[in-house]
Amino acid sequence: MLTKTSTRIEKKIINLGKFKNLNIQKIVTKDISDNSSDTFLGIMYEYETFDEIFKKTLTIDKNELGKLIQALQMVEQKENEKAGQETRYKFVTMSNIEFGSVYREKLSSWVNYIKIPSNHFNQNLLEFNKDELKELIAVLKKSEQDI
């Protein structure tokens, strides 16, 4: 519905929360011609350099959001177990956002990340720790109730 052609679409954006530099949003699109609507979770990120300001919003539908939350909860559970060797997990959304976790044997710790598809170098990887993973899951669970 976000890219329907030959029709007029109304888009409403409601901010639901933040995680690091990501804005978590509820996006409601409405086809004015037949009054149908869809609701998505939007993940918007932005950055600013000397010469430009860049914003991009990627969407996740409610069904996929439930699967993402389950995947992150599984990672959270695995992080509480001791991994003896390098281990990796990832979940890739239909809009190519990669949520992942890597156990780094040398550090004896897990590093979580969100990789946003982008053509700009070093702007698309967001790393976070175990406590921040709990925060992300909480924000996504709350958002799931709102969409």
Side-chain angles (χ1 to χ4, degrees):
M1 169 85 155
L2 287 175
T3 58
K4 229 178 192 181
T5 59
S6 301
T7 188
R8 290 198 310 197
I9 300 208
E10 173 185 83
K11 181 177 177 181
K12 291 186 179 177
I13 300 169
I14 299 102
N15 289 316
L16 299 176
K18 284 185 76 67
F19 177 73
K20 296 189 129 337
N21 67 336
L22 302 175
N23 292 317
I24 309 299
Q25 305 168 327
K26 174 181 178 178
I27 298 176
V28 181
T29 58
K30 182 177 175 182
D31 184 332
I32 304 295
S33 61
D34 66 6
N35 235 9
S36 63
S37 67
D38 289 311
T39 304
F40 302 91
L41 178 81
I43 297 181
M44 192 270 287
Y45 69 100
E46 63 183 304
Y47 68 88
E48 193 170 335
T49 66
F50 185 81
D51 291 324
E52 68 181 345
I53 297 173
F54 182 81
K55 281 186 180 184
K56 185 169 187 168
T57 302
L58 299 165
T59 59
I60 299 174
D61 69 24
K62 187 167 183 141
N63 194 23
E64 188 175 37
L65 178 57
K67 291 176 184 176
L68 170 60
I69 291 169
Q70 287 178 342
L72 292 174
Q73 288 173 321
M74 187 272 306
V75 166
E76 180 182 33
Q77 183 180 356
K78 294 290 183 188
E79 286 187 0
N80 289 326
E81 301 167 7
K82 263 297 194 209
Q85 66 280 354
E86 194 165 306
T87 307
R88 300 166 188 251
Y89 297 99
K90 77 175 179 178
F91 181 91
V92 181
T93 69
M94 289 187 294
S95 55
N96 287 322
I97 307 170
E98 182 178 318
F99 293 81
S101 187
V102 177
Y103 181 76
R104 295 199 177 137
E105 200 172 357
K106 290 178 186 174
L107 300 174
S108 298
S109 69
W110 288 91
V111 176
N112 302 298
Y113 66 89
I114 300 172
K115 186 176 178 185
I116 308 273
S118 172
N119 295 331
H120 297 78
F121 298 119
N122 299 326
Q123 297 302 328
N124 61 353
L125 191 66
L126 180 65
E127 290 188 348
F128 55 98
N129 64 31
K130 190 174 177 177
D131 293 332
E132 291 167 321
L133 175 61
K134 288 183 194 327
E135 179 188 335
L136 175 60
I137 292 170
V139 168
L140 293 176
K141 278 183 168 180
K142 180 185 176 305
S143 300
E144 184 181 35
Q145 294 169 357
D146 291 334
I147 65 168

